[in-house]
Amino acid sequence: DGGITQSPKYLFRKEGQNVTLSCEQNLNHDAMYWYRQDPGQGLRLIYYSQIVNDFQKGDIAEGYSVSREKKESFPLTVTSAQKNPTAFYLCASGQQGLGETQYFGPGTRLLVL
Amino acid sequence: GIQVEQSPPDLILQEGANSTLRCNFSDSVNNLQWFHQNPWGQLINLFYIPSGTKQNGRLSATTVATERYSLLYISSSQTTDSGVYFCAGLYNTDKLIFGTGTRLQVFP
């Protein structure tokens, strides 16, 4: 089945630790996106990538890093520099440049211990 | 600045009722989309509607791009319609800007 998968579903981070969230898609989409959602809030863009080996900062990129080595994969690392990482993280993909809809994964809930 | 505003922020309905959700957006935003986020967090695209009207079952959406607003109609609401409804507009052809959402609760 085609779609977007995210793992893990829940992730716990200790103080000072870097953690990586996985996002994989088999929809053959060029563009991929990472969003952060805080309780009761909308989605805010962290990073996005329109093509392999290229990515751009979104509105809240500080404390996060990404890579796009393969078309299918767009992992997000939450670094120790992100002081308030507790949130729901959503990955999405879409056809680049066409203004078409984005398709979302099921999300990862990150909690700080 | 870029603005995507939704109203009402919260909506409580009894099953079978109809409702209208509104999204106002600034002139730098185009290509409106509507999403539904279920109670488990999954976000599903409902409509891609840069202009005009579309219908899908009990849901329909209308965007009047010249007046910078979009409406989502839910008819004969069901408990499974509960969740948060977001509108989002495309900015700079590659970034979606999301509104703050309308939280809908439908009771039997």
Side-chain angles (χ1 to χ4, degrees):
Chain A
D1 287 346
I4 302 176
T5 58
Q6 291 185 242
S7 62
K9 189 173 183 178
Y10 296 95
L11 185 58
F12 299 92
R13 192 191 92 163
K14 296 180 181 179
E15 293 287 343
Q17 187 182 38
N18 292 353
V19 292
T20 298
L21 285 60
S22 170
C23 178
E24 305 277 334
Q25 56 100 359
N26 61 5
L27 299 168
N28 200 34
H29 286 161
D30 291 311
M32 296 186 74
Y33 308 82
W34 274 107
Y35 295 91
R36 169 178 172 143
Q37 187 179 29
D38 292 286
Q41 303 296 316
L43 279 67
R44 293 184 291 168
L45 184 64
I46 305 172
Y47 268 99
Y48 64 107
S49 167
Q50 295 178 300
I51 197 168
V52 175
N53 292 323
D54 187 40
F55 49 83
Q56 288 80 39
K57 293 182 179 180
D59 301 317
I60 54 166
E62 185 174 353
Y64 300 97
S65 66
V66 294
S67 62
R68 186 86 187 276
E69 298 177 1
K70 298 187 299 182
K71 187 175 186 177
E72 302 80 18
S73 178
F74 191 40
L76 174 74
T77 296
V78 184
T79 74
S80 57
Q82 172 50 245
K83 298 306 179 186
N84 185 23
T86 296
F88 187 49
Y89 291 86
L90 286 157
C91 177
S93 71
Q95 291 290 5
Q96 181 263 337
L98 297 179
E100 293 291 336
T101 189
Q102 292 183 12
Y103 298 87
F104 284 80
T108 293
R109 294 193 185 275
L110 176 60
L111 299 170
V112 176
L113 297 177
Chain B
I2 304 163
Q3 291 183 335
V4 180
E5 299 174 342
Q6 293 186 241
S7 60
D10 295 281
L11 190 56
I12 299 174
L13 299 174
Q14 192 160 23
E15 210 167 23
N18 302 329
S19 62
T20 301
L21 283 60
R22 186 178 179 103
C23 174
N24 292 327
F25 52 97
S26 63
D27 60 5
S28 54
V29 170
N30 295 291
N31 295 357
L32 248 288
Q33 302 181 31
W34 282 96
F35 294 87
H36 174 231
Q37 187 171 37
N38 67 23
W40 297 271
Q42 179 70 56
L43 215 67
I44 302 295
N45 182 272
L46 298 175
F47 293 102
Y48 168 72
I49 184 161
S51 64
T53 297
K54 290 185 179 179
Q55 181 154 7
N56 184 3
R58 296 181 295 103
L59 302 181
S60 65
T62 295
T63 296
V64 183
T66 53
E67 297 186 23
R68 301 296 174 187
Y69 74 87
S70 184
L71 302 174
L72 178 69
Y73 305 96
I74 304 175
S75 64
S76 303
S77 58
Q78 301 177 358
T79 55
T80 52
D81 295 331
S82 297
V84 184
Y85 289 82
F86 290 102
C87 65
L90 200 66
Y91 174 68
N92 267 357
T93 74
D94 57 10
K95 294 198 301 183
L96 272 183
I97 306 298
F98 282 80
T100 53
T102 292
R103 184 173 300 275
L104 173 64
Q105 298 179 70
V106 181
F107 291 96

